[in-house]
Amino acid sequence: MNKLKNDTFLRALLRQPTDYTPIWLMRQAGRYLPEYCETRRRAGNFMNLCKNPRLACEVTLQPLARYDLDAAILFSDILTVPDAMGLGLYFAEGEGPKFERPLREEWEIRNLAAPDPGVELRYVMDAVAEIRRALDNSVPLIGFSGSPFTLACYMIEGGASEDFRTIKAMLYDRPDLLHHVLEVNAAAVTAYLNAQIECGAQAVMIFDTWGGALSHRAYKEFSLAYMQRIVAGLKREHGGARIPSIVFTKGGGQWLEDIAAIGCDAVGLDWTTDIGAARRRVGDCVALQGNLDPVALFAQPEKIAREACAILDAFGPGSGHVFNLGHGISQFTPPEHVAALVNAVHEHSRKQRQI
Ligand code: CP3
C-alpha cells in the first residue's frame, strides 16, 4: 500500500497534529458544478450516474480538480441501500427521492432483509475501487451511509416528509415494528460500510439527517443506539491503517456528549452549534467536523472568509478539527465562492499554528 501524499484529514480525525485544518464539503460533487451537470446529462439521470462506476468516479474527482480539498467522498447516495432491499428508488424531477414500494404493512416489514453489498451493491464497491485507483493516493477517500433511522424515514414515508407522520405514528403505536426495521438497517449499514472499507474507503461517515427531528426521549432509543451498534461493528483497521468514523446528526447539538460517547472518532456539527463550546463539551473524546452555514456561501468572498476564520478561532489551537459545512452545499452556490472558503481555511489555520 502506497503512502498518502496528503493525510491531513485522517490525522485531524484521529486528533494528531497537522500543519493546517483540512477541509472537504458535504455534497462537494453536485449540481452547483457545471461539469457535474454535464456528466449527469450524459448519464441520463442521477441513478444511472450512481450505478456507473466510471461516471461516479469522474464526478467524485471534479471538485478536487477545482479546489484544494483534503478529502474525496464517494459519489453515491444513502438511498442505494433501501433500493438494494427492493423498495424501488426513483427521483421524480424536482421532487427529490421516492420509493415505489414504501414499507407500510407488517408483512412487508417482516420480509425486509439486509442486502449483500458484494452483490446488490456491487456497483458501489466497483466505484470505490475505481476512485481509489484514480486518486492515486493524493487524498483519502471517504465512504458513507445513511443512519438506520434516516433510511427508515425514507423507507416508511416513501420519500421526503415535512412532519414524518407515518414513521412517527409507527414509533409511538408499534415501536416493535420500527425496531425491527432499524435492526435490519443497522445490519445492512454495518455490512455495507465494512465492504466499502475492504474496497478502499479510508474513513467512513454516517449521515443521520433526520435524527434531530425526534423527541429527546426517542433520539437515543431510535437513532443513536443503532449508530452505536454500527460503530461497534465497523472494521477499525484495513491494510495496516486506522479507518476513522464520523457520525453526523443534523440538529443533534443538544446530544453531543451522548454522540461522542458511542465510540466514533469524530462528530459532525451543523451550523446551529458553537464549535468552541462543543469542543469544551466533548473534551478529548472525539474530533469535530463542521460547521459553516452552507447558505453563508451566498455572501461575498471576504465575508465567507470572515465566517470561516471565526469558526477556526472558536475551535481554537490544536488538532482535532475538520472544516466542513453544517450540511450539504446548495445547488445554487456560486462555484468561485467555494474556492474563497477553501483558501481562507487553509491560510488562516496555517497562521493559527504559527502563533
Ligand atoms: O457529498 C458528496 O459529494 C457525496 C454524494 C452524496 C449525495 N447524497 C449525492 C446526491 C451524499 C453523501 C448524499 C447523502 C444523502 N442523500 C443524504 C444525507 C446527507 C444530507 O444531505 O442530509 C440524504 C438525506 C440523501 C437523499 C437524497 N438524495 C436527497 C434528499 C437528494 C436531493 C434531491 C433533490 O432533488 O434535491 C438526493 C439526490 C442527490 N444525492 C443529489 C446528489 C448530488 C442531487 C441529484 C441530482 O443530481 O439531481
Side-chain angles (χ1 to χ4, degrees), residues 24-31 36 40 45-46 49-50 59-60 63 73-79 91-97 144-146 150 154 160 207-210 248 250 327-329 331:
W24 69 278
L25 306 177
M26 289 193 255
R27 294 270 181 100
Q28 63 191 24
R31 286 170 292 187
Y36 170 84
R40 185 181 181 279
N45 61 47
F46 174 70
L49 190 51
C50 288
V59 293
T60 300
I73 180 160
L74 159 70
F75 188 83
S76 188
D77 197 81
I78 62 166
L79 301 178
F91 284 81
E93 205 59 55
E95 284 182 67
F144 71 89
S145 172
T150 292
Y154 289 97
F207 287 87
D208 185 26
T209 308
W210 300 122
F248 170 64
K250 182 162 172 279
H327 197 207
I329 190 167
Q331 62 172 305

Side-chain angles (χ1 to χ4, degrees), residues 60-84:
T60 300
L61 300 182
Q62 286 171 348
L64 296 144
R66 266 189 190 249
Y67 314 114
D68 194 9
L69 295 161
D70 297 289
I73 180 160
L74 159 70
F75 188 83
S76 188
D77 197 81
I78 62 166
L79 301 178
T80 53
V81 170
D83 184 54

Side-chain angles (χ1 to χ4, degrees), residues 34-261:
E35 57 271 33
Y36 170 84
C37 296
E38 170 55 29
T39 311
R40 185 181 181 279
R41 197 188 51 73
R42 267 195 283 135
N45 61 47
F46 174 70
M47 283 312 284
N48 286 350
L49 190 51
C50 288
K51 291 191 172 177
N52 181 322
R54 194 174 45 78
L55 295 181
C57 176
E58 186 177 307
V59 293
T60 300
L61 300 182
Q62 286 171 348
L64 296 144
R66 266 189 190 249
Y67 314 114
D68 194 9
L69 295 161
D70 297 289
I73 180 160
L74 159 70
F75 188 83
S76 188
D77 197 81
I78 62 166
L79 301 178
T80 53
V81 170
D83 184 54
M85 289 168 164
L87 273 65
L89 174 64
Y90 68 100
F91 284 81
E93 205 59 55
E95 284 182 67
K98 288 210 184 305
F99 284 109
E100 280 162 27
R101 292 172 292 280
L103 296 179
R104 289 289 154 79
E105 306 297 333
E106 182 157 356
W107 66 266
E108 292 170 316
I109 290 174
R110 297 284 171 214
N111 282 343
L112 195 68
D116 181 339
V119 181
E120 286 97 339
L121 292 158
R122 183 77 249 156
Y123 63 93
V124 179
M125 303 309 139
D126 291 343
V128 170
E130 181 138 353
I131 297 163
R132 272 300 302 274
R133 277 194 296 276
L135 282 171
D136 192 24
N137 288 307
S138 50
V139 290
L141 174 63
I142 307 166
F144 71 89
S145 172
S147 74
F149 178 74
T150 292
L151 294 178
C153 286
Y154 289 97
M155 293 161 75
I156 291 165
E157 298 291 338
S161 171
E162 279 186 8
D163 53 11
F164 302 99
R165 69 179 86 160
T166 320
I167 188 170
K168 284 191 174 181
M170 189 187 289
L171 183 154
Y172 295 112
D173 284 335
R174 290 293 309 272
D176 61 312
L177 275 189
L178 183 55
H179 276 303
H180 181 71
V181 175
L182 296 170
E183 265 171 39
V184 177
N185 285 357
V189 167
T190 309
Y192 182 54
L193 289 176
N194 280 336
Q196 291 182 36
I197 292 169
E198 303 249 345
C199 291
Q202 289 150 297
V204 291
M205 173 153 165
I206 302 172
F207 287 87
D208 185 26
T209 308
W210 300 122
L214 285 168
S215 73
H216 184 68
R217 278 201 307 146
Y219 174 71
K220 281 180 211 162
E221 179 181 345
F222 293 93
S223 187
L224 192 62
Y226 290 94
M227 295 198 284
Q228 179 161 21
R229 250 194 235 192
I230 293 166
V231 171
L234 287 179
K235 287 172 86 54
R236 287 174 64 80
E237 257 187 41
H238 184 71
R242 266 280 273 120
I243 309 292
S245 59
I246 311 163
V247 169
F248 170 64
T249 291
K250 182 162 172 279
Q254 63 170 320
W255 302 304
L256 209 56
E257 293 86 346
D258 300 298
I259 302 171

